[in-house]
Amino acid sequence: MQSPQPAQPRRRSSEIGALLTIDFVTHGLPRTRTVTFEACRDELPRGTVSSWTSSAPANWQMPSVSPPSMTDSDQATAALLDFSASITAPLSLRYSRLVSCRQMTDAEDDWQSRAIDVHALTGRIMLANGRTMSLGWSGFGDGLAGMAEGPKRARVEWVSRCAGTAAPVDAGDIPVVLAPQPAAVVAHEAIGHFSEAAASAAIDLRHRLGCRLAADDFDVFDDPTRGAAARYGVDDEGTVAVGPTQIVDGGVLVQQLHGRGSARTAQTLSTANARAAQITQQPIPRLSNLVVPAGTRSQDELVDCLGDGLLVHHLSHGFSRGLEIEARIVLAELVRSGRRTGIFVGDGRLTERIDVLARCIARGDRIELNPNALCGKHGQILYDVGTMAPAMLLSQLRIAR
Amino acid sequence: MTIDRTIVFARCRDGQIIHHFAHRVMANAGRAAVGACDQDAVGLSDLARNEWHRHSARLPPGRRSQLVAEMGHVIDIGNVRPYSIVHANGSILQGLPSPHLPLVAEAIKWADVPRKPLLTFGPSATLALVNFILDGIPGAIDAAAWPFDSELTVCDTGQSPYPPQHRDNATASRIGTGTEHRDEGDDIAFMLLQRSEVWQRPVNALYNMRQRNLAIGCERKMPDPSGPVIVFDTLSAEVEPTLSRSSWLATWYLVDADRPIWGEERVAVAIDTSKILRDDVRTIGTPWPACIYDPIEGECYGMAPHLFAQSSSLAVSVLQ
């Protein structure tokens, strides 16, 4: 009789890094904190997972790495105060920067490593009408350039000023033009999340393949090598990211995003989309950068084609739930006879099905990266889930109060 | 303030897979480190798995996937404190559970509840509701914006019913008009302990950042109801914090003739957040440990009493 083999580790990972956090509330003083960390995760057969804070054990034979350097906190504080001063409304903000080096291996591969360098600027701006507007910027690097004077900052100031005067939006099924930011939110919720394999590798979602999600001129890609919010050469299971994965072809879902476990279940290969918000958590299939290619018309032409309807300038709090998506309408503008009116509305919700983009009639001629790359799923928040999309003309969008 | 605390636990969410976690937190003023830990939680695995199965047997099948059993030790310098906590979507089943929780898996459908019962919020639902309303207050808290009955007290404290987050000597302050910021040491310690195993994620990155653990109380009490009572034991918000109408998913149980029985299905609850706790708030009994389970933010603990729910400010419907 053969003696039982000792349990062999299936997957190991380690991370060393630092988190800088700065809080600022109008009329208060900035509050700065730094946390340094070093931790490991060891995944064993039969499902036991151990994680602990320490350097990797010597018998792991992991290559040594130097702790990554952190943003100068004085520089980040100055940028945050400068940004705050440019917004005349009261606000509360949190700036976070995470820099780390993550290394991972499994029974099949040598150690792989990837650098993590992300930021988030989150908080709320109090509007003139007493409502609040959430701010969520995030993505690669320190993000300080975006907080300086420029179009990104100017847009936040403009949206918050207009939203403060906006009347409640009327409910109904309304023709709309989505500016690039709201178009990105809708694409992320409707196409992006639907294309992800399940967090549990035991669940097979292949029946989704072939579903129509968008109009027949839509091709959509996921691309961690695009140089957008997410930037990685290997995912958190050590799978090398080669280039873009086409997930929608002619408006139909043709490929799902996988890590190794879900790929095995679906009898396919990993698409290098296994991502863990932090080292103690299980890598699960997540988007990297969702890319919706541009169309041929300018946004002004799309508005001209709209006739009567809404130009949606800004959405927040998007989420998907099964076959439905929702998002909060922060700012929209009435359009009459193809002309913007300068009459702003907000404080509503779009409530739609995931195939809402099948009603897309035309797309704008340039794509923009949504500055908000925060995405929460299955208890994990990533700072760097990018979406690049053009403006879109939709024949109809369901709006609720 | 200086903290040097090691936290070790084994956690089970499905009756099979065990997640061990061991870490050490060192904090001093505005700087902190997650340090090297020489402890492990291997010896707690069977305890966590056994507790999961024991409590699973008292839940209806539809709630078993929400069950979390955690067994651990909190090690401060010279002091080891073992703990165990079991909750289902935030409804605390072990670790000072509130009274009248059902003890067997038997369940009843909402449609079969015999008479129109009194509606109450259990401790975890009360905590979730108060926390949500606080997050929904725009800008500074002033007298005009305060959406609570003056008899309802809400304290921000470093003390917690969840031992890894509890600190005996932490300052507490009542939340309300003119709330002062706490000191840096309290703040950094809270950030690390509140989310002890997720230190890379800022606490409340998506919502407010004003409060730590909440301790909720109210001087206006009502006696234990004599007739049937529905207790919403957990509330999960489906929308971002707001002071207008909000949508929730609730789990519940029925207490009838002192016999508690689980509600079989979740129900949708619409709450007028601006009114529900503004006037005539009445509590039943004393505060109990409570937990909000947020699928993104994780677990957030506090103390809260059972609250009588003003039925004019909420509507309940069965999910299809």
Side-chain angles (χ1 to χ4, degrees), chain A residues 296-310:
Chain A
T296 56
R297 302 188 185 187
S298 70
Q299 183 172 310
D300 287 343
E301 288 175 309
L302 298 182
V303 171
D304 192 45
C305 294
L306 179 63
D308 292 350
L310 279 180

Side-chain angles (χ1 to χ4, degrees), chain B residues 20-81:
Chain B
H20 299 141
F21 192 78
H23 78 155
R24 182 178 173 193
V25 172
M26 295 167 290
N28 190 4
R31 301 192 71 81
V34 178
C37 179
D38 56 4
Q39 308 280 322
D40 71 53
V42 174
L44 299 168
S45 297
D46 287 344
L47 278 175
R49 191 182 285 112
N50 291 345
E51 284 304 282
W52 190 95
H53 283 288
R54 189 166 72 85
H55 286 277
S56 174
R58 64 181 278 200
L59 287 175
R63 292 197 67 169
R64 288 175 190 163
S65 63
Q66 303 167 344
L67 191 61
V68 180
E70 180 178 317
M71 308 290 131
H73 298 293
V74 177
I75 306 164
D76 291 317
I77 298 169
N79 180 26
V80 180
R81 183 178 176 187

Side-chain angles (χ1 to χ4, degrees), chain A residues 15 19 21 23 25 30-39 46-54 92-94 96 98 102 122-124 126 130-132 277-281 317 319 321 328 374 376-381 383, chain B residues 16-24 30-37 42 49 134-140 181-184 187-188 191-192 197-210 238 240-241 295-297:
Chain A
E15 186 167 356
L19 171 70
T21 311
D23 285 347
V25 179
R31 299 154 61 79
T32 303
R33 314 174 194 96
T34 57
V35 178
T36 57
F37 60 86
E38 195 168 3
R46 293 186 292 279
T48 298
V49 179
S50 281
S51 47
W52 67 96
T53 55
S54 134
S92 57
L93 295 175
R94 168 166 290 171
S96 309
L98 170 66
R102 189 174 288 182
T122 56
R124 300 201 300 180
M126 187 172 177
R131 298 193 187 100
T132 58
Q278 56 192 56
I279 196 72
T280 60
Q281 295 174 310
H317 294 91
F319 68 93
R321 179 178 46 201
R328 180 182 167 197
L374 285 164
K377 180 185 173 184
H378 212 68
Q380 301 193 32
I381 296 179
Y383 291 48
Chain B
Q16 298 177 38
I17 294 174
I18 302 294
H19 187 182
H20 299 141
F21 192 78
H23 78 155
R24 182 178 173 193
R31 301 192 71 81
V34 178
C37 179
V42 174
R49 191 182 285 112
L134 280 174
D135 277 353
I137 298 173
H181 270 301
R182 52 200 175 267
D183 67 46
E184 294 286 351
D187 204 46
I188 188 96
M191 187 177 83
L192 281 172
E197 77 275 34
V198 286
W199 62 88
Q200 292 174 22
R201 187 167 72 198
V203 176
N204 291 341
L206 299 182
Y207 298 131
N208 215 329
M209 58 191 83
R210 278 197 286 242
E238 290 219 294
E240 72 273 23
I296 302 298
E297 293 279 346

Side-chain angles (χ1 to χ4, degrees), chain A residues 173-177 306 308 356 358-362 392-397:
Chain A
D173 294 334
I174 299 167
V176 300
V177 168
L306 179 63
D308 292 350
V356 56
R359 289 186 232 121
C360 181
I361 298 167
M392 297 180 190
L393 170 62
L394 271 60
S395 59
Q396 183 177 297
L397 187 72

